[in-house]
Amino acid sequence: MARKYRVTLIPGDGVGPEVSAVACRCIEATGVSIEWEVHNAGAEVAERVGTPLPDDVVESIRRNGLALKGPVTTPVGKGFRSVNVALRHALDLFACVRPCKSYRGVRSPYEGIDLVVVRENSEDLYAGIEFQHDTPEAREIIAAIERLQPKKIRRDSGISIKPISVSASRRIVQYAFDYARRYRRRKVTAVHKANIMKHTDGLFLDTARAVAEENGVKVVRHPDGQVTYQGGEVEFDDRIVDNMAMQLVQKPELYDVLVLPNLYGDIVSDLCAGLVGGLGVAPGANIGEKAAVFEATHGSAPKYKGLNKVNPTAVILSGVLMLRHIGETAAADRLENAVAAVIAEGKYVTYDLKADRNDPSAVGTREMGEAIIRAVLGVRC
């Protein structure tokens, strides 16, 4: 008897409900049995209940261990930093996984891109430890810092604190190696700015090297201070983040799985999405030890709400990631192949996937989803 999965569905707001509905139908077309438990979050919910992330949403994900999430809008100026960040912290979703893969038919100057960005989710500058300028707290922090080291800080500075720990760095780098082995990837690259930030990014790099050694990589430290890496079932190397950005533009084929602290991971994942055609084809997953939330990288695009216009690919591919996460590999492959086939044919795709964005033959969100379902089922148009 086939297993039935209970999954929290957060439709989102803006275009979220449209793309989420299409994604659910495409996932169901694979034959995997899913019971959707619907809970709402975002700006529209906040207007009714006073918070964009009601407790029942978090409790549902904690109970089910799985969620598919549409894009949500965080209210502006309401004291709530981000629904996405809040979910990650509440559920300890420490790993943000964003595959960036080329699909034939998507407009891009690059071909054959197949990268995975593994981003640490819990700390770094996104930990939210900030002090507004010209407040007693900011002045106290500035005074304390100046007592502890000689550099002076301008009195009108806002302050953000960047914590990077051994434990979180170890966990995310080990996750990257485990991911590489599970999905038969060849190499993990740690990305950092250790040449400047010795005690934060330097700690991240030192920890990554230690984890690499534990995973069979020989770390060779040369007398001139250079470090090289040899062997390992999964290879390892490291890159300074600004050089990494240039390398990705010049020769992305050299890289495979990238593991990064929080801020760099956010930036580099958008760069990699740009290599494959943009956020419209960029899925994502936020994964912890007890729960996982799958969501598109793009936002809620409220100006397109209700227009049946937005590309649903990123949320559908996030569903593919969810299916793989729960071990439904054959279903995941069928769905991804169906998405690829529809995009490659170029007949039933949204405006952004046409060679000319004003092409009158472009179809809507629902119609593209229906074409993908037909492809999953093997029905010829």
Side-chain angles (χ1 to χ4, degrees):
M1 184 175 179
R3 178 179 173 182
K4 189 168 190 174
Y5 300 92
R6 190 172 180 87
V7 178
T8 302
L9 174 64
I10 305 170
D13 49 25
V15 300
E18 298 169 61
V19 293
S20 297
V22 167
C24 289
R25 291 186 59 218
C26 291
I27 294 166
E28 290 165 354
T30 67
V32 175
S33 181
I34 293 178
E35 179 181 352
W36 302 102
E37 183 179 313
V38 181
H39 291 267
N40 293 298
E44 295 175 13
V45 173
E47 292 177 4
R48 297 197 305 270
V49 302
T51 175
L53 185 60
D55 291 343
D56 65 287
V57 179
V58 177
E59 290 307 315
S60 173
I61 301 171
R62 190 172 281 128
R63 183 169 59 250
N64 296 327
L66 285 173
L68 181 68
K69 176 180 161 294
V72 302
T73 305
T74 296
V76 177
K78 298 292 179 66
F80 202 97
R81 294 179 64 238
S82 166
V83 169
N84 294 337
V85 171
L87 269 177
R88 293 166 192 167
H89 282 268
L91 297 165
D92 194 22
L93 306 177
F94 67 90
C96 179
V97 180
R98 292 181 174 175
C100 296
K101 184 176 179 179
S102 296
Y103 291 96
R104 187 167 62 87
V106 178
R107 289 178 295 124
S108 170
Y110 295 88
E111 295 179 353
I113 304 292
D114 188 4
L115 296 163
V116 179
V117 175
V118 176
R119 167 190 174 195
E120 203 288 319
N121 252 346
S122 68
E123 51 184 21
D124 191 11
L125 287 172
Y126 280 21
I129 307 171
E130 293 193 289
F131 300 88
Q132 185 177 353
H133 85 285
D134 199 28
T135 60
E137 293 81 7
R139 289 191 288 271
E140 183 177 345
I141 289 293
I142 290 169
I145 292 171
E146 290 182 347
R147 283 197 303 271
L148 295 170
Q149 53 86 52
K151 293 183 180 179
K152 298 297 181 182
I153 300 174
R154 293 184 178 91
R155 293 296 181 266
D156 56 352
S157 296
I159 302 291
S160 290
I161 294 179
K162 173 178 172 157
I164 289 186
S165 67
V166 172
S167 54
S169 300
R170 169 172 288 280
R171 181 167 67 167
I172 197 65
V173 177
Q174 185 59 56
Y175 180 89
F177 272 97
D178 292 343
Y179 182 98
R181 273 191 288 270
R182 178 179 179 182
Y183 294 105
R184 299 181 181 179
R185 315 292 297 204
R186 59 186 171 81
K187 182 169 68 173
V188 170
T189 301
V191 185
H192 58 87
K193 191 68 175 173
N195 57 322
I196 301 299
M197 285 170 276
K198 311 287 188 183
H199 303 302
T200 50
D201 287 37
L203 180 150
F204 178 83
L205 177 58
D206 288 345
T207 304
R209 286 171 172 167
V211 173
E213 288 186 298
E214 293 166 8
N215 283 269
V217 176
K218 184 177 181 181
V219 179
V220 182
R221 294 168 174 84
H222 300 278
D224 63 359
Q226 295 296 308
V227 177
T228 57
Y229 310 99
Q230 299 173 0
E233 176 190 1
V234 176
E235 299 172 30
F236 176 79
D237 63 6
D238 75 88
R239 290 291 181 271
I240 295 171
V241 64
D242 41 333
N243 178 255
M244 184 81 260
M246 181 181 71
Q247 297 265 329
L248 287 169
V249 172
Q250 291 186 323
K251 38 193 173 185
E253 69 278 2
L254 297 182
Y255 299 96
D256 193 355
V257 177
L258 310 179
V259 60
L260 313 91
N262 208 335
L263 177 62
Y264 306 148
D266 193 13
I267 296 167
V268 169
S269 64
D270 273 23
L271 188 159
C272 292
L275 298 178
V276 299
L279 297 180
V281 292
N286 292 285
I287 297 174
E289 294 178 1
K290 296 182 179 179
V293 176
F294 300 84
E295 61 183 344
T297 304
H298 65 72
S300 59
K303 71 177 181 179
Y304 293 116
K305 177 183 177 181
L307 299 182
N308 189 40
K309 187 174 183 177
V310 170
N311 181 357
T313 300
V315 181
I316 297 170
L317 291 177
S318 298
V320 170
L321 299 183
M322 183 181 78
L323 291 171
R324 290 207 173 104
H325 179 76
I326 61 178
E328 297 286 354
T329 305
D333 290 346
R334 283 200 308 278
L335 181 51
E336 183 180 11
N337 291 339
V339 171
V342 168
I343 293 174
E345 183 187 30
K347 185 176 180 182
Y348 297 102
V349 295
T350 50
Y351 74 98
D352 58 306
L353 293 172
K354 292 289 188 178
D356 177 359
R357 294 168 72 93
N358 296 312
D359 188 333
S361 70
V363 302
T365 308
R366 289 189 298 274
E367 290 73 22
M368 184 173 177
E370 288 163 2
I372 292 169
I373 290 169
R374 291 195 294 271
V376 170
L377 299 174
V379 177
R380 295 184 63 85
C381 299

